[in-house]
Amino acid sequence: MSNSPSGSTHSSGRDNPSGYLTSTNTNRRNSRESPMAFYEVPQSIANIPTKIISDAKQSLRDMPTTRPYTPRNDSRYTTLSKLNHEPNLFSASSIDYDSESRPSSSRPIETKRRNSKGISDIAAPVAIPPPRLSKLNHQTSQEQTRSSDSTVSNQTRSGDTTVSSQTKPPLPANHQRSSTISSASSNTSSTTSKSSHRNSITTTKDESSDENLIWKNEISPLIEKLITAYKTNDYQQFDQISNVLYNVLLKHNLFGKKNNKKRGEFLKTLFGFIESDNSLVKFHVARLSLAFQVSSTNNLRNIIRVIEKLSSNKDNDHFFLQTNIIDLLFETMSRIDDIQQNLESIAYFCTTLKNLTVNNELICLISEKKPFELLKIILKNLRQLKDQAEHRDRLRDCLVPLTDALRNLAENDLNRSEFLNDELIDHLTFILKYFTDKSHGDLMTNVARIFSKLTQHTDCCLKLVQCSSCYRSFLKILVKHESNQALVVRVCFILGNMMAKSEDARLTFMKDSHALKTLTKLLHSYIQLDSLVLKPENLDNDDSTSHDVDIVDDSNLNQFRSIENVINKVIRVLSNLAISQENGLIIIRSDDCIDLLFKILKAPNQHSEELLVHVLMALNNLSYYDDPQSYIIRNAETLAQLLVKYIRNEDKMDCVVEAFRVLGNLSRAKRIRDILMKCKVDRLAIHHCRSENIELLYAVIGVLINLTVDEDKRECLKNSDGIDSLACKALWNYCDNNYEKTDNQSLWFTKEQLNILFALFDESLHESNLESTDDKELDELNKQLWNEEYYPVASRLYQRLVDENKYFQSNEKTNNHA
């Protein structure tokens, strides 16, 4: 007997183990009263409906299932190649540097405090001129002023426009991510703040003095060398010079000074390198440009497009892992105020994030940078475009990679708390609400993958439960996308999790008049589809039906698994809905729905054992409700005959266990008990009582308890050597009224059986004899079961055996003396 400590004490000793009075005050049932089985609720118990609901919640179970198997999508792409839009939607536009006379969107603003600005029209695309290189001339301040408005030099690259890309370009020399970003952030922020208050006279003065000397003596020579290295394809030299340039600019706080004319000339030169095929060149162009806080629509779009292209190749991941470019990118995106003007840049950024988050190291790095505040602001601003039809495609093109990235970030458990934020959950459910067309399948699937991951955790699941709009959205998806198996299986998995963990979710979902109809139609469609699929051989030996992707080279098997996976998830939703009594009574009265479950049971050879087990588990929950309008009750004889076939098949022991559980509910009716006796279920049950499978033993004894209610069925238990296997509740029913038998045989027990029973009771009724385990939680559970389940029944039965054994012994003595 498993041990469990007790908070209460009980009297010990054979004569009075329960503490009851043992003389004439002993409460023994009158022999003329009708027998009452242990499963029956006494008439004296008040508030019976509440008792039933309470019992239902304790006895009905969530159906165990696995999350739909989804390997991480490691594919990387660029926005243009993936989305394949019309040219006027996402185009490269001009790659010339646009002069930025004032920092229109470069103000460093705290992410949490920034309000969204008004939305203006998007500028028309600009034709793409040939890439240019410009030399930074050494000029006086007056010459600089005159030349600032002039066009860049017409010098074009001829033979050096195409360079060979390196398989894995070297890392930037002498640069560390952690130190640079911290200093860059503080310096650019302070410099920008100061420059915003500086008047034009002061600026001109500065440029003609110390700053101009720095550009002339330190920076310009480096730029000349950089151009030479690029023209000669000396990328090692290009890398070294770029790093030196970055450090010099950082050292002199020149990144944030937008009004310096030399800055503009340098950026023009950098933009001339954009079309290079070399990843190292692209990286340095992007990094320096971001550090300079480029802000015009074209400049921003071109630079982030460069970064997106870098992220599309896993060989470039070391740039993002070991430098500060991600920090610079996030800072740049946080400064964007005009979402409509910068939709293309946002799309490129989202695709970059998606590409990077297929790498586990980068997931951890990005997670450390707390990107969720930025992502929530982007989502919030994108939502403002939902009613503008002309932007709907662009909006989707931002949301698809962004939700893909969020799904990858959700794989890191450290980010789970971020998804508990109401705002983020609201943004995701918004997507499900407004993007339900068939063309939005990939977007809905991404959101469903996020929720299927998160709802495995109770805290996230209960957060989603509180979002009232999600129920209608999930139903709409199931209706509109019935044939999309990957989407349907995930939505049903999410619903199953919600229904398992929340009574509010069960009741709210079923308030929709289309809920049960939708689930029934879905179940019917996939059962029909399943009947058309060529079944693989040895279904019973396959344990991978939880997977919904191709994992073997057998198209028929994969299709079969995918279809059965959907059926499993739909049945789980129904089963978990039935945990609520209100829902259970509605479902069992739906003939079309329950008949589909019967249909699956009638063809066991056409389905996997996993599916059959799930059907039986659902019927166990549904058959709990003893309602005359129930399809199960009205067809109980048919179901019982089906279940008898399942309990005889010991090759599928999981099915045997669940079938006995359903029979435990059905056998409350006498007509079902009669059928079970004719089918010799009692003998099979007694046989299984010797099993070491605790779940099977518990289910079997439940059936025997009900069988022993009928007096005419007790003889067979004795003749089949069933007495030695019966548990306390079954023994109570078995010995009911037996002390009045004419043969005067003491309770139909032999002396040997009585001795065994008394010995067992002597040991198990003493709390001090309970065994301890190393698991404190298990000990507490055992303690509760011992106090609430075992001791009250066992002590009463023990007392009854003692009293009635004395009664027979007294009668025997009287008869002998007579």
Side-chain angles (χ1 to χ4, degrees), residues 398-526:
C398 295
L399 291 174
V400 169
L402 180 54
T403 52
D404 214 335
L406 283 171
R407 185 259 176 186
N408 292 340
L409 289 170
E411 292 291 337
N412 188 334
D413 286 337
L414 295 177
N415 293 328
R416 197 170 84 238
S417 60
E418 299 290 345
F419 286 94
L420 288 172
N421 184 284
D422 290 327
E423 192 175 358
L424 186 53
I425 294 289
D426 182 58
H427 291 323
L428 293 174
T429 53
F430 158 83
I431 294 173
L432 293 180
K433 183 177 181 180
Y434 286 95
F435 292 88
T436 57
D437 294 340
K438 289 194 173 181
S439 60
H440 302 147
D442 49 357
L443 180 53
M444 286 181 291
T445 299
N446 282 348
V447 177
R449 284 175 174 171
I450 294 172
F451 285 147
S452 67
K453 168 67 177 178
L454 296 177
T455 54
Q456 294 179 104
H457 306 282
T458 300
D459 50 3
C460 291
C461 190
L462 295 180
K463 205 71 177 179
L464 183 60
V465 164
Q466 299 170 11
C467 184
S468 57
S469 67
C470 71
Y471 301 94
R472 177 58 65 90
S473 297
F474 287 141
L475 279 174
K476 189 185 295 185
I477 290 173
L478 294 179
V479 171
K480 284 188 174 185
H481 301 269
E482 182 180 297
S483 61
N484 187 338
Q485 295 180 22
L487 180 56
V488 167
V489 75
R490 285 169 177 80
V491 169
C492 289
F493 178 72
I494 297 165
L495 287 172
N497 290 342
M498 295 169 69
M499 304 307 137
K501 295 172 182 175
S502 170
E503 178 75 0
D504 289 340
R506 297 178 204 121
L507 297 176
T508 303
F509 182 77
M510 283 291 281
K511 283 180 182 177
D512 193 303
S513 58
H514 298 92
L516 184 57
K517 293 179 181 177
T518 300
L519 293 175
T520 301
K521 185 177 183 299
L522 199 62
L523 189 59
H524 177 267
S525 298
Y526 276 89

Side-chain angles (χ1 to χ4, degrees), residues 312-329:
S312 66
N313 186 343
K314 66 180 181 180
D315 291 334
N316 296 327
D317 283 356
H318 63 303
F319 289 134
F320 299 94
L321 281 167
Q322 301 183 27
T323 73
N324 68 331
I325 192 168
I326 292 180
D327 302 276
L328 294 172
L329 180 60

Side-chain angles (χ1 to χ4, degrees), residues 581-747:
Q581 184 190 30
E582 182 179 331
N583 294 340
L585 293 175
I586 295 173
I587 296 172
I588 62 176
R589 295 168 185 170
S590 173
D591 292 7
D592 292 341
C593 180
I594 306 300
D595 184 63
L596 291 171
L597 301 180
F598 278 46
K599 184 176 181 179
I600 294 175
L601 288 186
K602 290 176 181 177
N605 295 331
Q606 297 180 24
H607 307 289
S608 69
E609 183 177 1
E610 182 187 32
L611 177 57
L612 296 173
V613 168
H614 284 183
V615 172
L616 291 168
M617 292 179 71
L619 287 172
N620 177 46
N621 282 6
L622 293 165
S623 61
Y624 174 85
Y625 302 105
D626 191 3
D627 183 80
Q629 299 182 51
S630 167
Y631 182 91
I632 295 174
I633 299 302
R634 288 184 279 118
N635 297 273
E637 292 87 348
T638 300
L639 180 56
Q641 295 285 359
L642 284 172
L643 295 174
V644 168
K645 295 179 180 178
Y646 280 89
I647 64 175
R648 288 175 175 168
N649 186 359
E650 296 190 17
D651 291 335
K652 297 181 178 179
M653 287 307 298
D654 288 340
C655 287
V656 173
V657 173
E658 298 304 328
F660 266 112
R661 283 185 171 133
V662 181
L663 287 175
N665 288 334
L666 297 181
S667 58
R668 291 174 295 185
K670 188 177 186 306
R671 70 184 192 278
I672 302 302
R673 296 197 292 269
D674 292 340
I675 292 175
L676 297 184
M677 293 303 293
K678 289 179 181 178
C679 296
K680 300 181 180 180
V681 170
D682 58 316
R683 297 183 182 180
L684 187 58
I686 291 170
H687 166 71
H688 285 307
C689 279
R690 295 171 175 83
S691 172
E692 294 182 357
N693 185 328
I694 300 299
E695 289 190 353
L696 175 61
L697 191 60
Y698 193 83
V700 164
I701 290 177
V703 174
L704 288 174
I705 288 173
N706 290 352
L707 290 178
T708 53
V709 170
D710 299 331
E711 203 166 323
D712 60 341
K713 298 178 177 62
R714 299 171 189 167
E715 181 74 32
C716 64
L717 296 177
K718 178 182 179 182
N719 296 336
S720 302
D721 297 326
I723 305 302
D724 297 335
S725 302
L726 295 184
C728 293
K729 290 184 179 181
L731 284 171
W732 181 277
N733 287 345
Y734 169 80
C735 66
D736 188 73
N737 294 337
N738 279 339
Y739 54 84
E740 289 192 345
K741 291 295 178 182
T742 56
D743 59 5
N744 288 329
Q745 183 175 2
S746 176
L747 300 174

Side-chain angles (χ1 to χ4, degrees), residues 256-275:
K257 299 187 176 182
K258 285 190 161 238
N259 291 331
N260 189 292
K261 300 302 183 294
K262 298 293 186 180
R263 168 190 181 276
E265 291 294 331
F266 181 35
L267 284 172
K268 288 180 182 179
T269 300
L270 285 178
F271 272 63
F273 300 149
I274 283 181
E275 290 302 311

Side-chain angles (χ1 to χ4, degrees), residues 9-243:
T9 59
H10 302 284
S11 302
S12 60
R14 173 176 296 184
D15 292 335
N16 189 12
S18 64
Y20 297 149
L21 295 176
T22 58
S23 58
T24 56
N25 292 330
T26 301
N27 294 322
R28 190 176 67 186
R29 286 181 54 195
N30 190 305
S31 61
R32 286 181 290 276
E33 293 177 356
S34 59
M36 183 182 69
F38 263 94
Y39 66 79
E40 294 178 323
V41 180
Q43 295 295 327
S44 59
I45 294 182
N47 201 6
I48 289 179
T50 304
K51 172 69 175 173
I52 292 175
I53 294 173
S54 176
D55 289 347
K57 291 178 180 178
Q58 292 177 9
S59 61
L60 303 191
R61 303 171 299 145
D62 171 32
M63 179 187 299
T65 188
T66 55
R67 179 185 171 202
Y69 177 69
T70 309
R72 181 180 298 160
N73 180 10
D74 290 335
S75 63
R76 306 195 191 198
Y77 56 83
T78 59
T79 304
L80 291 173
S81 64
K82 176 67 175 179
L83 303 175
N84 194 23
H85 284 302
E86 298 176 6
N88 65 334
L89 289 180
F90 279 87
S91 58
S93 289
S94 173
I95 56 172
D96 273 347
Y97 170 73
D98 285 354
S99 60
E100 300 173 346
S101 59
R102 59 185 181 189
S104 58
S105 63
S106 63
R107 286 184 298 106
I109 303 175
E110 288 186 14
T111 304
K112 295 182 179 179
R113 298 181 180 178
R114 193 178 73 249
N115 296 323
S116 59
K117 303 292 184 181
I119 298 176
S120 59
D121 294 333
I122 291 181
V126 183
I128 304 176
R132 302 172 184 272
L133 288 176
S134 63
K135 297 182 72 173
L136 189 65
N137 296 324
H138 299 175
Q139 300 170 328
T140 64
S141 59
Q142 292 181 349
E143 289 174 334
Q144 293 174 19
T145 304
R146 287 196 300 270
S147 64
S148 61
D149 297 328
S150 63
T151 316
V152 71
S153 173
N154 290 328
Q155 178 184 4
T156 58
R157 297 200 312 268
S158 54
D160 58 343
T161 55
T162 303
V163 294
S164 59
S165 60
Q166 300 175 4
T167 304
K168 189 170 184 179
L171 287 170
N174 300 322
H175 184 81
Q176 293 182 352
R177 166 172 47 86
S178 57
S179 59
T180 304
I181 182 57
S182 58
S183 58
S185 301
S186 59
N187 289 329
T188 55
S189 177
S190 61
T191 304
T192 305
S193 178
K194 292 177 183 178
S195 63
S196 64
H197 297 290
R198 188 179 298 165
N199 56 43
S200 58
I201 297 175
T202 305
T203 303
T204 305
K205 205 174 195 181
D206 289 343
E207 289 182 355
S208 62
S209 55
D210 293 342
E211 273 186 27
N212 187 57
L213 291 175
I214 294 171
W215 280 94
K216 179 179 180 180
N217 298 329
E218 295 187 51
I219 299 175
S220 294
L222 291 173
I223 295 175
E224 294 290 346
K225 293 180 181 179
L226 191 70
I227 295 173
T228 301
Y230 179 79
K231 287 183 176 182
T232 58
N233 295 343
D234 189 346
Y235 297 117
Q236 184 176 1
Q237 181 73 3
F238 188 94
D239 174 42
Q240 294 174 354
I241 296 172
S242 296
N243 284 318

